[in-house]
Amino acid sequence: MYAVIKTGGKQYRVASGEKIKVEQIAAEVGQEIVFDQVLAVGNGAELKVGTPLVAGATVTVKVVSHGKHDKVRIFKMRRRKHYQKHQGHRQQFTELEIGAIKA
C-alpha cells in the first residue's frame, strides 16, 4: 500500500517502512506526526484519487532526525565586465519514517 502526501509545498509517494527527507518541520526527534493532506492512496491495481484530498485518509510518520543537505554552489558571472559572485546554500530537512497508512 502506498500514498501520495503533500508537505512543504511538495508531493511525495510514500509506502510503509520507508524513510524520506522533507522540508524542515517544527517537531522533536521521536515525535509522531499525522499527515491528513493525502492526495491519493493505492493498493496494488486499485487507486483512490482525491478531489483534491482523499476523505478520511491519514499517514502517520515518526521524526527520525533533522539536518542540512549538501551545499549548493551558485556562481554568477558577466563576461568582460569583471563581475563574479559566489554564493552557497544548505537547505534544512527533516527525515521521516513512514508508519501506518489509513485510507
Side-chain angles (χ1 to χ4, degrees):
M1 184 174 211
Y2 67 92
V4 178
I5 62 170
K6 180 180 171 186
T7 178
K10 298 178 180 68
Q11 297 175 8
Y12 299 92
R13 182 186 186 272
V14 298
S16 184
E18 285 183 348
K19 289 186 179 180
I20 60 170
K21 293 180 180 177
V22 299
E23 298 291 322
Q24 188 171 28
I25 298 172
E28 298 294 323
V29 174
Q31 183 178 348
E32 291 208 351
I33 302 172
V34 177
F35 287 115
D36 57 349
Q37 291 193 337
V38 180
L39 304 173
V41 176
N43 191 1
E46 182 184 335
L47 178 67
K48 189 188 301 183
V49 180
T51 55
L53 303 175
V54 178
T58 60
V59 176
T60 305
V61 300
K62 181 180 172 188
V63 177
V64 177
S65 66
H66 297 288
K68 286 185 173 184
H69 284 290
D70 293 335
K71 182 173 276 193
V72 177
R73 299 192 182 276
I74 298 109
F75 177 69
K76 296 181 180 181
M77 185 180 104
R78 300 283 184 258
R79 61 183 183 165
R80 300 186 302 269
K81 305 297 181 191
H82 197 67
Y83 170 79
Q84 292 183 352
K85 182 178 180 183
H86 298 271
Q87 192 173 359
H89 176 73
R90 292 185 69 189
Q91 185 67 37
Q92 295 184 343
F93 68 85
T94 299
E95 188 173 11
L96 303 173
E97 184 176 357
I98 309 303
I101 298 173
K102 298 177 185 171

